[in-house]
PDB file of all heavy atoms in Angstrom:
ATOM      1  N   CYS A   1      -4.938 -18.815  13.462  1.00  0.00           N
ATOM      2  CA  CYS A   1      -3.789 -18.459  14.322  1.00  0.00           C
ATOM      3  C   CYS A   1      -3.043 -19.669  14.870  1.00  0.00           C
ATOM      4  O   CYS A   1      -2.341 -19.563  15.889  1.00  0.00           O
ATOM      5  CB  CYS A   1      -4.230 -17.566  15.490  1.00  0.00           C
ATOM      6  SG  CYS A   1      -5.039 -16.047  15.003  1.00  0.00           S
ATOM      7  N   ALA A   2      -3.161 -20.813  14.207  1.00  0.00           N
ATOM      8  CA  ALA A   2      -2.591 -22.055  14.746  1.00  0.00           C
ATOM      9  C   ALA A   2      -1.099 -21.944  15.041  1.00  0.00           C
ATOM     10  O   ALA A   2      -0.610 -22.488  16.034  1.00  0.00           O
ATOM     11  CB  ALA A   2      -2.851 -23.210  13.791  1.00  0.00           C
ATOM     12  N   PHE A   3      -0.356 -21.241  14.175  1.00  0.00           N
ATOM     13  CA  PHE A   3       1.095 -21.095  14.342  1.00  0.00           C
ATOM     14  C   PHE A   3       1.485 -19.613  14.448  1.00  0.00           C
ATOM     15  O   PHE A   3       2.592 -19.234  14.092  1.00  0.00           O
ATOM     16  CB  PHE A   3       1.824 -21.762  13.178  1.00  0.00           C
ATOM     17  CG  PHE A   3       1.617 -23.253  13.121  1.00  0.00           C
ATOM     18  CD1 PHE A   3       0.609 -23.795  12.334  1.00  0.00           C
ATOM     19  CD2 PHE A   3       2.403 -24.114  13.861  1.00  0.00           C
ATOM     20  CE1 PHE A   3       0.394 -25.163  12.284  1.00  0.00           C
ATOM     21  CE2 PHE A   3       2.197 -25.484  13.821  1.00  0.00           C
ATOM     22  CZ  PHE A   3       1.192 -26.012  13.030  1.00  0.00           C
ATOM     23  N   PHE A   4       0.603 -18.817  14.964  1.00  0.00           N
ATOM     24  CA  PHE A   4       0.831 -17.368  15.081  1.00  0.00           C
ATOM     25  C   PHE A   4       2.118 -17.073  15.858  1.00  0.00           C
ATOM     26  O   PHE A   4       2.344 -17.588  16.940  1.00  0.00           O
ATOM     27  CB  PHE A   4      -0.363 -16.723  15.801  1.00  0.00           C
ATOM     28  CG  PHE A   4      -0.275 -15.232  15.939  1.00  0.00           C
ATOM     29  CD1 PHE A   4      -0.824 -14.410  14.986  1.00  0.00           C
ATOM     30  CD2 PHE A   4       0.354 -14.651  17.032  1.00  0.00           C
ATOM     31  CE1 PHE A   4      -0.765 -13.023  15.114  1.00  0.00           C
ATOM     32  CE2 PHE A   4       0.427 -13.283  17.164  1.00  0.00           C
ATOM     33  CZ  PHE A   4      -0.131 -12.463  16.206  1.00  0.00           C
ATOM     34  N   ASN A   5       2.974 -16.244  15.256  1.00  0.00           N
ATOM     35  CA  ASN A   5       4.207 -15.770  15.902  1.00  0.00           C
ATOM     36  C   ASN A   5       5.162 -16.901  16.298  1.00  0.00           C
ATOM     37  O   ASN A   5       5.869 -16.797  17.300  1.00  0.00           O
ATOM     38  CB  ASN A   5       3.883 -14.900  17.111  1.00  0.00           C
ATOM     39  CG  ASN A   5       5.029 -13.963  17.469  1.00  0.00           C
ATOM     40  OD1 ASN A   5       5.621 -13.338  16.593  1.00  0.00           O
ATOM     41  ND2 ASN A   5       5.344 -13.859  18.741  1.00  0.00           N
ATOM     42  N   CYS A   6       5.177 -17.965  15.506  1.00  0.00           N
ATOM     43  CA  CYS A   6       6.226 -18.987  15.671  1.00  0.00           C
ATOM     44  C   CYS A   6       7.437 -18.473  14.891  1.00  0.00           C
ATOM     45  O   CYS A   6       7.699 -18.878  13.752  1.00  0.00           O
ATOM     46  CB  CYS A   6       5.742 -20.336  15.141  1.00  0.00           C
ATOM     47  SG  CYS A   6       4.452 -21.095  16.145  1.00  0.00           S
ATOM     48  N   LYS A   7       8.164 -17.587  15.497  1.00  0.00           N
ATOM     49  CA  LYS A   7       9.142 -16.787  14.769  1.00  0.00           C
ATOM     50  C   LYS A   7      10.403 -17.553  14.368  1.00  0.00           C
ATOM     51  O   LYS A   7      11.191 -17.046  13.576  1.00  0.00           O
ATOM     52  CB  LYS A   7       9.520 -15.538  15.574  1.00  0.00           C
ATOM     53  CG  LYS A   7      10.192 -15.806  16.908  1.00  0.00           C
ATOM     54  CD  LYS A   7      10.458 -14.485  17.628  1.00  0.00           C
ATOM     55  CE  LYS A   7      11.190 -14.688  18.941  1.00  0.00           C
ATOM     56  NZ  LYS A   7      11.417 -13.394  19.637  1.00  0.00           N
ATOM     57  N   SER A   8      10.605 -18.767  14.886  1.00  0.00           N
ATOM     58  CA  SER A   8      11.749 -19.593  14.470  1.00  0.00           C
ATOM     59  C   SER A   8      11.368 -20.648  13.441  1.00  0.00           C
ATOM     60  O   SER A   8      12.234 -21.382  12.960  1.00  0.00           O
ATOM     61  CB  SER A   8      12.371 -20.288  15.694  1.00  0.00           C
ATOM     62  OG  SER A   8      12.877 -19.347  16.613  1.00  0.00           O
ATOM     63  N   LEU A   9      10.089 -20.716  13.102  1.00  0.00           N
ATOM     64  CA  LEU A   9       9.597 -21.761  12.205  1.00  0.00           C
ATOM     65  C   LEU A   9      10.097 -21.526  10.780  1.00  0.00           C
ATOM     66  O   LEU A   9       9.743 -20.545  10.141  1.00  0.00           O
ATOM     67  CB  LEU A   9       8.070 -21.789  12.235  1.00  0.00           C
ATOM     68  CG  LEU A   9       7.377 -22.939  11.515  1.00  0.00           C
ATOM     69  CD1 LEU A   9       7.728 -24.273  12.155  1.00  0.00           C
ATOM     70  CD2 LEU A   9       5.865 -22.735  11.526  1.00  0.00           C
ATOM     71  N   LYS A  10      10.924 -22.447  10.293  1.00  0.00           N
ATOM     72  CA  LYS A  10      11.506 -22.337   8.957  1.00  0.00           C
ATOM     73  C   LYS A  10      10.850 -23.258   7.944  1.00  0.00           C
ATOM     74  O   LYS A  10      10.839 -22.970   6.751  1.00  0.00           O
ATOM     75  CB  LYS A  10      13.007 -22.641   9.010  1.00  0.00           C
ATOM     76  CG  LYS A  10      13.836 -21.625   9.778  1.00  0.00           C
ATOM     77  CD  LYS A  10      15.308 -21.981   9.726  1.00  0.00           C
ATOM     78  CE  LYS A  10      16.153 -20.953  10.469  1.00  0.00           C
ATOM     79  NZ  LYS A  10      17.597 -21.298  10.418  1.00  0.00           N
ATOM     80  N   SER A  11      10.325 -24.370   8.428  1.00  0.00           N
ATOM     81  CA  SER A  11       9.833 -25.398   7.515  1.00  0.00           C
ATOM     82  C   SER A  11       8.513 -25.980   8.009  1.00  0.00           C
ATOM     83  O   SER A  11       8.397 -26.355   9.180  1.00  0.00           O
ATOM     84  CB  SER A  11      10.879 -26.508   7.379  1.00  0.00           C
ATOM     85  OG  SER A  11      10.400 -27.586   6.629  1.00  0.00           O
ATOM     86  N   VAL A  12       7.539 -26.022   7.107  1.00  0.00           N
ATOM     87  CA  VAL A  12       6.254 -26.643   7.404  1.00  0.00           C
ATOM     88  C   VAL A  12       5.888 -27.540   6.235  1.00  0.00           C
ATOM     89  O   VAL A  12       5.908 -27.101   5.084  1.00  0.00           O
ATOM     90  CB  VAL A  12       5.132 -25.600   7.594  1.00  0.00           C
ATOM     91  CG1 VAL A  12       3.820 -26.292   7.942  1.00  0.00           C
ATOM     92  CG2 VAL A  12       5.497 -24.597   8.669  1.00  0.00           C
ATOM     93  N   THR A  13       5.577 -28.786   6.519  1.00  0.00           N
ATOM     94  CA  THR A  13       5.110 -29.710   5.489  1.00  0.00           C
ATOM     95  C   THR A  13       3.643 -30.002   5.742  1.00  0.00           C
ATOM     96  O   THR A  13       3.277 -30.520   6.797  1.00  0.00           O
ATOM     97  CB  THR A  13       5.919 -31.019   5.505  1.00  0.00           C
ATOM     98  OG1 THR A  13       7.303 -30.723   5.290  1.00  0.00           O
ATOM     99  CG2 THR A  13       5.434 -31.967   4.412  1.00  0.00           C
ATOM    100  N   ILE A  14       2.805 -29.634   4.769  1.00  0.00           N
ATOM    101  CA  ILE A  14       1.359 -29.803   4.921  1.00  0.00           C
ATOM    102  C   ILE A  14       0.835 -30.660   3.772  1.00  0.00           C
ATOM    103  O   ILE A  14       1.050 -30.332   2.601  1.00  0.00           O
ATOM    104  CB  ILE A  14       0.650 -28.434   4.932  1.00  0.00           C
ATOM    105  CG1 ILE A  14       1.150 -27.600   6.114  1.00  0.00           C
ATOM    106  CG2 ILE A  14      -0.868 -28.603   5.025  1.00  0.00           C
ATOM    107  CD1 ILE A  14       0.487 -26.256   6.247  1.00  0.00           C
ATOM    108  N   PRO A  15       0.143 -31.744   4.072  1.00  0.00           N
ATOM    109  CA  PRO A  15      -0.332 -32.657   3.023  1.00  0.00           C
ATOM    110  C   PRO A  15      -1.594 -32.133   2.336  1.00  0.00           C
ATOM    111  O   PRO A  15      -2.276 -31.218   2.831  1.00  0.00           O
ATOM    112  CB  PRO A  15      -0.640 -33.937   3.804  1.00  0.00           C
ATOM    113  CG  PRO A  15      -1.060 -33.439   5.159  1.00  0.00           C
ATOM    114  CD  PRO A  15      -0.198 -32.237   5.422  1.00  0.00           C
ATOM    115  N   ASP A  16      -1.929 -32.739   1.209  1.00  0.00           N
ATOM    116  CA  ASP A  16      -3.121 -32.351   0.466  1.00  0.00           C
ATOM    117  C   ASP A  16      -4.413 -32.745   1.173  1.00  0.00           C
ATOM    118  O   ASP A  16      -5.503 -32.324   0.750  1.00  0.00           O
ATOM    119  CB  ASP A  16      -3.096 -32.970  -0.937  1.00  0.00           C
ATOM    120  CG  ASP A  16      -2.086 -32.297  -1.853  1.00  0.00           C
ATOM    121  OD1 ASP A  16      -1.613 -31.200  -1.512  1.00  0.00           O
ATOM    122  OD2 ASP A  16      -1.766 -32.881  -2.910  1.00  0.00           O
ATOM    123  N   SER A  17      -4.301 -33.514   2.250  1.00  0.00           N
ATOM    124  CA  SER A  17      -5.501 -33.838   3.038  1.00  0.00           C
ATOM    125  C   SER A  17      -6.073 -32.607   3.722  1.00  0.00           C
ATOM    126  O   SER A  17      -7.265 -32.558   4.047  1.00  0.00           O
ATOM    127  CB  SER A  17      -5.166 -34.896   4.095  1.00  0.00           C
ATOM    128  OG  SER A  17      -4.175 -34.412   4.997  1.00  0.00           O
ATOM    129  N   VAL A  18      -5.238 -31.589   3.937  1.00  0.00           N
ATOM    130  CA  VAL A  18      -5.693 -30.360   4.605  1.00  0.00           C
ATOM    131  C   VAL A  18      -6.526 -29.545   3.618  1.00  0.00           C
ATOM    132  O   VAL A  18      -6.055 -29.139   2.561  1.00  0.00           O
ATOM    133  CB  VAL A  18      -4.503 -29.531   5.125  1.00  0.00           C
ATOM    134  CG1 VAL A  18      -4.971 -28.188   5.665  1.00  0.00           C
ATOM    135  CG2 VAL A  18      -3.763 -30.292   6.221  1.00  0.00           C
ATOM    136  N   LYS A  19      -7.782 -29.299   3.996  1.00  0.00           N
ATOM    137  CA  LYS A  19      -8.705 -28.574   3.120  1.00  0.00           C
ATOM    138  C   LYS A  19      -9.022 -27.164   3.636  1.00  0.00           C
ATOM    139  O   LYS A  19      -9.568 -26.348   2.888  1.00  0.00           O
ATOM    140  CB  LYS A  19     -10.024 -29.356   2.980  1.00  0.00           C
ATOM    141  CG  LYS A  19      -9.856 -30.773   2.443  1.00  0.00           C
ATOM    142  CD  LYS A  19      -9.102 -30.803   1.111  1.00  0.00           C
ATOM    143  CE  LYS A  19      -8.932 -32.216   0.589  1.00  0.00           C
ATOM    144  NZ  LYS A  19      -8.053 -32.266  -0.606  1.00  0.00           N
ATOM    145  N   THR A  20      -8.671 -26.891   4.891  1.00  0.00           N
ATOM    146  CA  THR A  20      -8.941 -25.579   5.465  1.00  0.00           C
ATOM    147  C   THR A  20      -7.738 -25.108   6.265  1.00  0.00           C
ATOM    148  O   THR A  20      -7.246 -25.828   7.135  1.00  0.00           O
ATOM    149  CB  THR A  20     -10.169 -25.617   6.392  1.00  0.00           C
ATOM    150  OG1 THR A  20     -11.304 -26.085   5.669  1.00  0.00           O
ATOM    151  CG2 THR A  20     -10.473 -24.228   6.955  1.00  0.00           C
ATOM    152  N   ILE A  21      -7.271 -23.887   5.953  1.00  0.00           N
ATOM    153  CA  ILE A  21      -6.254 -23.212   6.754  1.00  0.00           C
ATOM    154  C   ILE A  21      -6.854 -21.889   7.190  1.00  0.00           C
ATOM    155  O   ILE A  21      -7.250 -21.065   6.369  1.00  0.00           O
ATOM    156  CB  ILE A  21      -4.952 -22.985   5.960  1.00  0.00           C
ATOM    157  CG1 ILE A  21      -4.336 -24.331   5.542  1.00  0.00           C
ATOM    158  CG2 ILE A  21      -3.954 -22.189   6.796  1.00  0.00           C
ATOM    159  CD1 ILE A  21      -3.090 -24.190   4.672  1.00  0.00           C
ATOM    160  N   GLY A  22      -6.947 -21.682   8.500  1.00  0.00           N
ATOM    161  CA  GLY A  22      -7.641 -20.520   9.025  1.00  0.00           C
ATOM    162  C   GLY A  22      -6.885 -19.218   8.857  1.00  0.00           C
ATOM    163  O   GLY A  22      -5.701 -19.192   8.496  1.00  0.00           O
ATOM    164  N   ILE A  23      -7.579 -18.124   9.138  1.00  0.00           N
ATOM    165  CA  ILE A  23      -6.965 -16.805   9.049  1.00  0.00           C
ATOM    166  C   ILE A  23      -5.818 -16.694  10.051  1.00  0.00           C
ATOM    167  O   ILE A  23      -5.832 -17.319  11.116  1.00  0.00           O
ATOM    168  CB  ILE A  23      -7.992 -15.680   9.273  1.00  0.00           C
ATOM    169  CG1 ILE A  23      -8.589 -15.744  10.686  1.00  0.00           C
ATOM    170  CG2 ILE A  23      -9.097 -15.728   8.235  1.00  0.00           C
ATOM    171  CD1 ILE A  23      -9.435 -14.536  11.046  1.00  0.00           C
ATOM    172  N   CYS A  24      -4.830 -15.924   9.682  1.00  0.00           N
ATOM    173  CA  CYS A  24      -3.672 -15.652  10.558  1.00  0.00           C
ATOM    174  C   CYS A  24      -2.908 -16.909  10.958  1.00  0.00           C
ATOM    175  O   CYS A  24      -2.147 -16.893  11.929  1.00  0.00           O
ATOM    176  CB  CYS A  24      -4.100 -14.909  11.832  1.00  0.00           C
ATOM    177  SG  CYS A  24      -4.956 -13.354  11.554  1.00  0.00           S
ATOM    178  N   ALA A  25      -3.074 -17.989  10.213  1.00  0.00           N
ATOM    179  CA  ALA A  25      -2.497 -19.273  10.632  1.00  0.00           C
ATOM    180  C   ALA A  25      -0.988 -19.224  10.799  1.00  0.00           C
ATOM    181  O   ALA A  25      -0.435 -19.852  11.717  1.00  0.00           O
ATOM    182  CB  ALA A  25      -2.877 -20.374   9.641  1.00  0.00           C
ATOM    183  N   PHE A  26      -0.312 -18.474   9.921  1.00  0.00           N
ATOM    184  CA  PHE A  26       1.151 -18.366   9.988  1.00  0.00           C
ATOM    185  C   PHE A  26       1.594 -16.907  10.130  1.00  0.00           C
ATOM    186  O   PHE A  26       2.720 -16.551   9.781  1.00  0.00           O
ATOM    187  CB  PHE A  26       1.779 -19.025   8.746  1.00  0.00           C
ATOM    188  CG  PHE A  26       1.498 -20.497   8.653  1.00  0.00           C
ATOM    189  CD1 PHE A  26       0.422 -20.970   7.914  1.00  0.00           C
ATOM    190  CD2 PHE A  26       2.280 -21.406   9.346  1.00  0.00           C
ATOM    191  CE1 PHE A  26       0.144 -22.327   7.854  1.00  0.00           C
ATOM    192  CE2 PHE A  26       2.006 -22.772   9.295  1.00  0.00           C
ATOM    193  CZ  PHE A  26       0.935 -23.229   8.546  1.00  0.00           C
ATOM    194  N   ASP A  27       0.729 -16.110  10.664  1.00  0.00           N
ATOM    195  CA  ASP A  27       0.987 -14.688  10.901  1.00  0.00           C
ATOM    196  C   ASP A  27       2.251 -14.508  11.743  1.00  0.00           C
ATOM    197  O   ASP A  27       2.422 -15.167  12.769  1.00  0.00           O
ATOM    198  CB  ASP A  27      -0.228 -14.116  11.651  1.00  0.00           C
ATOM    199  CG  ASP A  27      -0.354 -12.616  11.554  1.00  0.00           C
ATOM    200  OD1 ASP A  27       0.649 -11.953  11.267  1.00  0.00           O
ATOM    201  OD2 ASP A  27      -1.470 -12.112  11.786  1.00  0.00           O
ATOM    202  N   TYR A  28       3.144 -13.652  11.281  1.00  0.00           N
ATOM    203  CA  TYR A  28       4.390 -13.332  11.984  1.00  0.00           C
ATOM    204  C   TYR A  28       5.337 -14.528  12.134  1.00  0.00           C
ATOM    205  O   TYR A  28       6.150 -14.559  13.068  1.00  0.00           O
ATOM    206  CB  TYR A  28       4.115 -12.703  13.350  1.00  0.00           C
ATOM    207  CG  TYR A  28       3.634 -11.278  13.267  1.00  0.00           C
ATOM    208  CD1 TYR A  28       2.286 -10.971  13.465  1.00  0.00           C
ATOM    209  CD2 TYR A  28       4.509 -10.237  12.984  1.00  0.00           C
ATOM    210  CE1 TYR A  28       1.826  -9.665  13.385  1.00  0.00           C
ATOM    211  CE2 TYR A  28       4.065  -8.924  12.894  1.00  0.00           C
ATOM    212  CZ  TYR A  28       2.726  -8.648  13.094  1.00  0.00           C
ATOM    213  OH  TYR A  28       2.272  -7.348  13.009  1.00  0.00           O
ATOM    214  N   CYS A  29       5.252 -15.500  11.253  1.00  0.00           N
ATOM    215  CA  CYS A  29       6.266 -16.568  11.211  1.00  0.00           C
ATOM    216  C   CYS A  29       7.441 -16.024  10.396  1.00  0.00           C
ATOM    217  O   CYS A  29       7.601 -16.328   9.208  1.00  0.00           O
ATOM    218  CB  CYS A  29       5.692 -17.846  10.602  1.00  0.00           C
ATOM    219  SG  CYS A  29       4.491 -18.673  11.656  1.00  0.00           S
ATOM    220  N   SER A  30       8.258 -15.241  11.035  1.00  0.00           N
ATOM    221  CA  SER A  30       9.234 -14.407  10.334  1.00  0.00           C
ATOM    222  C   SER A  30      10.443 -15.168   9.798  1.00  0.00           C
ATOM    223  O   SER A  30      11.244 -14.600   9.047  1.00  0.00           O
ATOM    224  CB  SER A  30       9.706 -13.274  11.250  1.00  0.00           C
ATOM    225  OG  SER A  30      10.231 -13.780  12.457  1.00  0.00           O
ATOM    226  N   SER A  31      10.593 -16.449  10.144  1.00  0.00           N
ATOM    227  CA  SER A  31      11.698 -17.260   9.607  1.00  0.00           C
ATOM    228  C   SER A  31      11.259 -18.199   8.497  1.00  0.00           C
ATOM    229  O   SER A  31      12.095 -18.854   7.874  1.00  0.00           O
ATOM    230  CB  SER A  31      12.354 -18.077  10.733  1.00  0.00           C
ATOM    231  OG  SER A  31      12.955 -17.246  11.692  1.00  0.00           O
ATOM    232  N   LEU A  32       9.968 -18.267   8.244  1.00  0.00           N
ATOM    233  CA  LEU A  32       9.437 -19.182   7.225  1.00  0.00           C
ATOM    234  C   LEU A  32       9.908 -18.749   5.834  1.00  0.00           C
ATOM    235  O   LEU A  32       9.672 -17.618   5.417  1.00  0.00           O
ATOM    236  CB  LEU A  32       7.908 -19.187   7.297  1.00  0.00           C
ATOM    237  CG  LEU A  32       7.158 -20.255   6.510  1.00  0.00           C
ATOM    238  CD1 LEU A  32       7.528 -21.644   7.010  1.00  0.00           C
ATOM    239  CD2 LEU A  32       5.660 -20.029   6.624  1.00  0.00           C
ATOM    240  N   GLU A  33      10.592 -19.658   5.128  1.00  0.00           N
ATOM    241  CA  GLU A  33      11.240 -19.300   3.873  1.00  0.00           C
ATOM    242  C   GLU A  33      10.469 -19.734   2.630  1.00  0.00           C
ATOM    243  O   GLU A  33      10.563 -19.097   1.579  1.00  0.00           O
ATOM    244  CB  GLU A  33      12.648 -19.883   3.827  1.00  0.00           C
ATOM    245  CG  GLU A  33      13.571 -19.302   4.901  1.00  0.00           C
ATOM    246  CD  GLU A  33      14.948 -19.918   4.895  1.00  0.00           C
ATOM    247  OE1 GLU A  33      15.136 -20.921   4.189  1.00  0.00           O
ATOM    248  OE2 GLU A  33      15.825 -19.411   5.605  1.00  0.00           O
ATOM    249  N   SER A  34       9.743 -20.831   2.720  1.00  0.00           N
ATOM    250  CA  SER A  34       8.971 -21.300   1.568  1.00  0.00           C
ATOM    251  C   SER A  34       7.727 -22.018   2.060  1.00  0.00           C
ATOM    252  O   SER A  34       7.686 -22.497   3.199  1.00  0.00           O
ATOM    253  CB  SER A  34       9.802 -22.222   0.667  1.00  0.00           C
ATOM    254  OG  SER A  34      10.141 -23.407   1.349  1.00  0.00           O
TER     255      SER A  34
END
């Protein structure tokens, strides 16, 4: 749930160093396009 309901979030850049993304991490990020 790190970014849960960040409803204006359009862009996220995540590097390959990230090995774990938890459940619901981007749940309800309704502006996220890609």
Side-chain angles (χ1 to χ4, degrees):
C1 302
F3 296 94
F4 182 92
N5 203 44
C6 290
K7 63 182 183 181
S8 297
L9 188 63
K10 293 182 179 180
S11 174
V12 182
T13 301
I14 299 182
D16 287 345
S17 61
V18 173
K19 302 305 180 187
T20 302
I21 298 176
I23 63 171
C24 303
F26 297 94
D27 200 339
Y28 286 104
C29 290
S30 56
S31 296
L32 191 62
E33 296 178 350
S34 65

